[in-house]
Amino acid sequence: MLENSLWLRYNPEKTIREVLVGLYECAAVEIEEDERELYASLKRHLTKKELKMVMMNEGGCTAEEIGAEVALEGEELKKAQYKAYRKLRQDKIRLEVRANKVKEVVETADEE
């Protein structure tokens, strides 16, 4: 688990997997089970600010708290959050966090 991660600092109630299931509107079995791999994927594709905004937003922090943490306000904060969630919805991240069985099915279908 991610005992010392920022994820648990900002979002102790939900796992990364639960957040991604809600975001992608899919079944939990479609998302990788290893929280470390999911966290690493998010860190690889999002900037530190974007990842922090997503973690805090999913943890239920207010816009003021998020803005103070990432040094953005108002419209700039809204645009930055929109960009972060847009990145999360991209296929390159979505396919990377999929469970291995789902990845194999997709790869097999692509080969045919």
Side-chain angles (χ1 to χ4, degrees):
M1 190 63 188
L2 302 167
E3 293 86 14
N4 298 322
S5 72
L6 283 176
W7 185 270
L8 286 181
R9 178 175 163 201
Y10 294 116
N11 200 342
E13 292 87 33
K14 294 182 191 173
T15 64
I16 297 171
R17 187 176 189 211
E18 291 170 339
V19 169
L20 292 174
V21 165
L23 186 67
Y24 296 144
E25 299 175 351
C26 64
V29 296
E30 293 181 37
I31 303 293
E32 181 69 48
E33 288 185 29
D34 187 357
E35 289 288 311
R36 290 180 189 185
E37 285 185 32
L38 293 173
Y39 190 67
S41 294
L42 295 181
K43 281 178 69 174
R44 199 171 19 258
H45 293 287
L46 299 174
T47 66
K48 288 180 182 180
K49 266 187 181 179
E50 290 169 340
L51 182 58
K52 192 173 279 192
M53 284 187 296
V54 169
M55 288 187 291
M56 291 179 78
N57 190 48
E58 294 297 329
C61 295
T62 65
E64 291 80 22
E65 292 172 323
I66 297 169
E69 189 70 29
V70 297
L72 294 173
E73 293 181 351
E75 199 60 37
E76 289 178 327
L77 178 62
K78 287 180 183 178
K79 285 180 183 179
Q81 285 181 314
Y82 175 79
K83 182 179 176 184
Y85 279 95
R86 189 180 74 218
K87 278 185 177 181
L88 279 176
R89 287 185 177 93
Q90 290 178 344
D91 284 341
K92 64 182 176 182
I93 297 176
R94 186 185 304 233
L95 293 175
E96 188 172 317
V97 299
R98 304 292 297 266
N100 288 331
K101 291 180 181 178
V102 176
K103 287 180 186 175
E104 291 171 6
V105 170
V106 170
E107 289 171 3
T108 305
D110 289 342
E111 290 174 2
E112 294 176 357

